[in-house]
Amino acid sequence: MSTAKQDVKKLLRNLPDNVSVEDIQSHLYVLDKIRRSLEDARVNGTLSQKQLESRFSRWLAEPNSMGESGTADLGKIARILKRVGKGNPPVVGDELPPEFAAKKKKRIR
């Protein structure tokens, strides 16, 4: 695994010369999130596709803040997760339903 400094050097080499400071900050933020996520996966493991689908179905079945049940198409969510999980970017039509996007899991560090 490369060091953070090596990753930043590689990032800067690959960015165009006319890149803005804000763009560099954004790339560094994403790089940091990826590094942290990979470390978290290494330490805590990952979920299988079935486990992930099961968790999403439970979250969507819970009433939202308005007392309404989730109405998302679980098949659509599974297809999105499968495609994006293989490293493919989201495509038009992959927008998740509002009740899914509103669910935020609190993380303790």
Side-chain angles (χ1 to χ4, degrees):
M1 183 175 213
S2 58
T3 67
K5 185 175 178 179
Q6 290 169 330
D7 287 344
V8 170
K9 283 181 178 182
K10 182 178 178 182
L11 171 72
L12 290 173
R13 275 194 312 272
N14 291 327
L15 290 174
D17 289 336
N18 62 346
V19 68
S20 69
V21 172
E22 291 82 14
D23 286 341
I24 294 171
Q25 288 174 324
S26 174
H27 281 81
L28 288 173
Y29 175 79
V30 171
L31 179 65
D32 181 57
K33 289 295 180 184
I34 291 169
R35 288 177 63 84
R36 288 177 189 236
S37 297
L38 289 172
E39 179 61 17
D40 183 56
R42 187 187 68 75
V43 171
N44 298 315
T46 58
L47 299 175
S48 71
Q49 182 74 24
K50 293 271 187 220
Q51 291 170 316
L52 195 56
E53 289 173 16
S54 172
R55 285 189 183 192
F56 282 160
S57 66
R58 283 196 312 259
W59 292 337
L60 292 171
E62 295 173 3
N64 63 21
S65 60
M66 304 289 282
E68 301 167 345
S69 293
T71 57
D73 177 354
L74 297 180
K76 177 181 176 182
I77 292 172
R79 287 188 301 276
I80 293 169
L81 293 172
K82 195 171 201 175
R83 186 172 54 252
V84 173
K86 291 181 180 177
N88 299 310
V91 296
V92 174
D94 277 356
E95 296 77 18
L96 292 175
E99 63 268 18
F100 178 79
K103 301 273 183 193
K104 299 219 184 233
K105 191 174 178 182
K106 293 182 183 175
R107 199 169 164 160
I108 301 172
R109 285 243 169 209

